[in-house]
Amino acid sequence: MQVSYDVGWGNTLFIRGEGCGLNWDKGIPLKYDEKKAYWYWDCKAEKPIEFKLLINDETWSEGENFVLNPGKTKKIKPSFL
């Protein structure tokens, strides 16, 4: 998964969901690739993963949950209030 979103200096994107070690109660921080300017999270999933993104594990992304299918790379552009 690759996420294009400028969270601002000192902020981090997190992921919460179900599947591949995720849960809805506590997020996992995404990693940032400075050269390519995107956030990413990798997982070897066997089933589809349903998830949401959060800024600093507090502010939820708007809209429906995202779904990531096994073996696929998904490019995401979330929106936040």
Side-chain angles (χ1 to χ4, degrees):
M1 171 185 59
Q2 299 174 354
V3 182
S4 297
Y5 190 83
D6 182 0
V7 294
W9 180 256
N11 296 306
T12 302
L13 279 177
F14 283 74
I15 184 172
R16 291 189 195 188
E18 54 188 73
C20 209
L22 296 176
N23 69 69
W24 291 108
D25 298 320
K26 182 172 172 56
I28 296 172
L30 274 64
K31 297 175 184 163
Y32 188 71
D33 186 318
E34 291 185 22
K35 290 184 180 182
K36 296 180 182 176
Y38 65 73
W39 296 89
Y40 67 96
W41 179 73
D42 292 319
C43 177
K44 304 261 188 240
E46 296 178 11
K47 299 178 185 177
I49 300 166
E50 187 174 350
F51 66 94
K52 293 284 268 191
L53 299 172
L54 297 88
I55 296 175
N56 297 329
D57 207 23
E58 296 175 356
T59 305
W60 293 82
S61 58
E62 295 182 308
E64 299 291 321
N65 294 345
F66 297 103
V67 176
L68 182 62
N69 291 310
K72 303 289 182 185
T73 298
K74 187 170 196 158
K75 294 183 180 184
I76 298 171
K77 292 186 180 183
S79 60
F80 295 88
L81 284 177

